[in-house]
Amino acid sequence: MDRQYIREHGVIERYLRGALTADEEQAFEEAYLGDPDLLDQVQAAERLRDGIKELGRTGRLEQLRAPARWRQWLASPQYAVAASVLLAVSLGFSAMLYVENVDLRGTGLSQTFERTRLVRLEAYRGNNNVTPISAPETDERIVFALDAVAYDTYRATLLRRDGDQFERILTRADLEADDETILVGVPGRVLQPGAYEVLLEGRMNDWPADRFEEFTRMDLRVLPRN
Amino acid sequence: MVETPDPALEAQISAELVKRIGLGDRRAEEELVRRYQRGLIYLVQRRTRDPQLALDIAQDTFRIAIEKLRQSPIEQVERVGAFLRGTALNLASADVRKHVRRGTTADSDAVDAAADDAAGPFDNVSREQDKRLVRKLLDELPVQRDREILIKTYLEDQDKSAICEALGVDSAHYNRVLFRAKERFRELLTTAASQRGLKLVDS
C-alpha cells in the first residue's frame, strides 16, 4: 500500500474509525510499522480527530463551526431591523433621484457636451424684446444667464411657442442664484429653430411647496444655422 | 532510523535484517526493535486500549521474533513487519498472552536496549494542548466549507463521498483540504512538542 493509495482512498481516516476492510487494515498496518513518517501522519490525524471530538463534546466546536461573527451579526434581528430602515431610506432617496433623473432625461441634461455657449437673456418688462440665437449643434449646450431677484430658489421653464399654443420643453427647479445670476443649462438638441419663451418663477423657502411667483418671461428665437 | 515510504525499499531492509539476525548479528536485532517498536506499540494499543499492556505485548513480540529469527528465517523474509504484526496480534488475545508470558525465555538485551526509543514525536504534547491546536487550526481555515470538511470527517465520521456530495466539492478538493489541514496540524504539534521540550530543559 503506497502513499498515493492511502491519500486517495482516505485510508488514514477510515482506519481511525475502523472502516477498512480486513485486507486493507493488514496492508496499512504493515505499511506504517516500518514507516515512521507514515506513523507520524496517523498519530497526528488521530490527535486531530480526538481533539475535534473533544471540542464537539464540550460544545466549543459550534463557535468555530458557526459563520464568522460578522455573518452572525448579519443574521441577527438587530441587523434585520437596521437593514430594513436603511433599505427604506435608500428606496426613498432613490425614488427622489429617479424623479430628478426623469426630469434630466427629458431635458437631456445628463448628456455629455462637446461645447457650451453662454446666452444672456435680459428681460425688458413691458417691451417685446426677443433674443435671437442660431440653432445649436446637437452636441452643444446652451446656458442661459438670467438676472435673479430676491427669491430663495427659482424655477425656469422653457416653452416652445406656436401661435398662441405653448409646449413645455423642459423645467429646471430648485435653482439658486449665484452672484445675482441664475444659470439654466439646455441641451442644444431641444432648441430647434422656432419661437420660445423662458418663464422664470421664484419662491421663498417658507412658502408652501407648490407656491411660485412668476416674475419674468423672456422671448427667444432660434434661427436656422447658416 | 531510515524512513521507507517506498515498499520496495522496505522489503529490501526487511530481508537484510532477517539475514543478519540469522547470522547472529546482535546489532541487527537492535535495529529490528528500533525500527518497528513504535509502530508495534501503537498498533497494539489501538487494539487493547491499554498502553502498559501494549508495551508488554510489544516486548514479548520482539523476544519471540528474535528467538525465531535466530533459529531459522521466516517464510517471507521481505515481510518481517507482517510477521511482527501477526505475532503481536496473537499475543494481544488474552488467552494466548497468558500462555506466551509464561513461556517467554529469549534473551532480551536488544529489546531492553531499544526500549527508550518507543516515544513518539508528539508524546509530550498534552491533550489539553491538542484542543487548543485544533481550535487554532480551524480558526486558520478561511473558508467555512473547508472547516466543515474537517468536522464532518472527524467529528461526524462521515464518508468522503457523502461529504463531497453534501458540500458540493469534488474528490480532489476534499483530498487537498484534508491533506493540508493534517500537515498543518502536524506542524503545530511538532512546534508545540519542541517548545514543551525546551521548557522542560529550562526548568
Side-chain angles (χ1 to χ4, degrees):
Chain A
M1 183 177 284
D2 61 22
R3 293 290 180 91
Q4 189 176 355
Y5 181 92
I6 291 168
R7 184 176 165 184
E8 288 182 358
H9 291 82
V11 172
I12 293 178
E13 284 65 43
R14 288 164 57 215
Y15 179 68
L16 293 176
R17 66 173 191 262
L20 292 180
T21 64
D23 286 346
E24 281 180 318
E25 184 179 69
Q26 180 178 348
F28 181 60
E29 287 180 338
E30 288 177 17
Y32 77 65
L33 271 183
D35 185 345
D37 184 67
L38 180 57
L39 181 59
D40 286 353
Q41 286 185 38
V42 177
Q43 291 187 313
E46 185 179 39
R47 295 182 83 127
L48 174 59
R49 181 174 188 264
D50 290 349
I52 287 179
K53 283 191 181 298
E54 183 59 25
L55 288 176
R57 265 193 296 274
T58 56
R60 294 181 190 168
L61 201 55
E62 289 309 311
Q63 298 165 5
L64 297 166
R65 196 174 194 179
R69 283 181 185 172
W70 65 270
R71 285 194 198 150
Q72 284 184 313
W73 186 76
L74 289 181
S76 68
Q78 291 91 333
Y79 172 76
V81 171
S84 300
V85 170
L86 188 62
L87 179 63
V89 170
S90 300
L91 285 173
F93 190 63
S94 299
M96 286 171 57
L97 291 177
Y98 176 74
V99 170
E100 287 296 309
N101 282 338
V102 166
D103 195 30
L104 289 174
R105 198 181 307 127
T107 63
L109 287 177
S110 57
Q111 181 183 345
T112 301
F113 299 96
E114 291 292 326
R115 50 198 166 141
T116 298
R117 191 184 344 163
L118 182 66
V119 176
R120 174 160 286 279
L121 293 179
E122 294 183 3
Y124 296 94
R125 289 183 183 275
N127 296 334
N128 194 17
N129 203 326
V130 178
T131 302
I133 63 169
S134 64
E137 301 286 343
T138 52
D139 61 352
E140 187 178 8
R141 175 168 54 188
I142 302 297
V143 177
F144 295 118
L146 307 138
D147 290 329
V149 217
Y151 294 101
D152 290 325
T153 58
Y154 301 86
R155 180 168 70 184
T157 303
L158 178 66
L159 304 162
R160 184 182 174 91
R161 189 173 62 201
D162 186 10
D164 294 329
Q165 303 294 315
F166 290 90
E167 177 192 5
R168 190 183 75 86
I169 304 300
L170 63 85
T171 297
R172 295 290 314 277
D174 296 322
L175 300 169
E176 290 185 5
D178 185 11
D179 195 21
E180 297 186 343
T181 301
I182 304 162
L183 299 175
V184 181
V186 178
R189 62 179 171 76
V190 304
L191 291 171
Q192 300 298 318
Y196 295 84
E197 265 190 27
V198 177
L199 167 64
L200 199 58
E201 301 164 288
R203 70 179 299 273
M204 304 304 286
N205 286 338
D206 56 348
W207 290 359
D210 57 350
R211 180 181 170 189
F212 284 88
E213 281 185 353
E214 176 184 332
F215 69 92
T216 188
R217 280 183 180 248
M218 288 150 289
D219 288 324
L220 175 72
R221 178 164 293 278
V222 178
L223 305 172
R225 288 190 298 271
N226 295 326
Chain B
M1 190 177 288
V2 180
E3 295 181 1
T4 56
D6 179 3
L9 182 58
E10 166 64 17
Q12 186 184 335
I13 291 172
S14 168
E16 194 179 319
L17 282 174
V18 170
K19 182 182 174 185
R20 285 168 57 201
I21 292 171
L23 293 171
D25 184 343
R26 293 299 174 100
R27 289 183 60 187
E29 293 174 2
E30 284 187 24
E31 280 181 42
L32 179 83
V33 177
R34 288 184 199 282
R35 182 170 187 75
Y36 295 100
Q37 181 174 236
R38 207 181 116 219
L40 203 61
I41 292 171
Y42 176 75
L43 186 155
V44 178
Q45 192 175 325
R46 277 192 58 79
R47 304 297 172 98
T48 63
R49 300 291 169 190
D50 182 340
Q52 187 56 49
L53 182 60
L55 192 59
D56 289 347
I57 289 176
Q59 287 182 336
D60 285 345
T61 299
F62 283 115
R63 288 191 179 97
I64 291 169
I66 288 169
E67 187 175 0
K68 160 73 178 159
L69 293 173
R70 281 176 186 167
Q71 293 169 3
S72 61
I74 53 177
E75 279 185 21
Q76 295 176 292
V77 294
E78 74 284 1
R79 291 185 62 202
V80 72
F83 173 67
L84 291 171
R85 175 183 177 273
T87 304
L89 292 183
N90 285 337
L91 292 176
S93 161
D95 289 341
V96 175
R97 173 166 167 68
K98 285 174 188 171
H99 169 73
V100 171
R101 289 199 89 173
R102 285 194 298 272
T104 301
T105 55
D107 178 1
S108 62
D109 286 352
V111 177
D112 294 339
D116 291 341
D117 285 353
F122 318 128
D123 284 359
N124 64 347
V125 179
S126 71
R127 294 292 164 173
E128 199 55 40
Q129 274 183 299
D130 277 359
K131 283 191 284 183
R132 283 200 292 272
L133 297 178
V134 168
R135 289 167 67 177
K136 180 175 172 58
L137 176 74
L138 291 172
D139 271 339
E140 284 179 1
L141 289 174
V143 181
Q144 173 71 16
R145 189 180 59 183
D146 292 349
R147 286 200 290 272
E148 279 299 308
I149 286 178
L150 283 189
I151 291 168
K152 286 181 183 298
T153 299
Y154 290 123
L155 177 68
E156 299 170 3
D157 285 336
Q158 288 191 24
D159 194 51
K160 175 180 167 179
S161 57
I163 295 171
C164 288
E165 189 179 340
L167 298 179
V169 298
D170 60 24
S171 174
H173 179 84
Y174 174 90
N175 288 343
R176 199 161 45 243
V177 170
L178 204 59
F179 178 76
R180 287 178 182 166
K182 286 191 293 185
E183 285 297 299
R184 175 62 182 145
F185 188 69
R186 190 174 157 188
E187 191 181 299
L188 291 172
L189 278 175
T190 304
T191 304
S194 64
Q195 287 171 347
R196 199 171 175 85
L198 285 174
K199 283 178 187 171
L200 287 172
V201 170
D202 288 340
S203 62

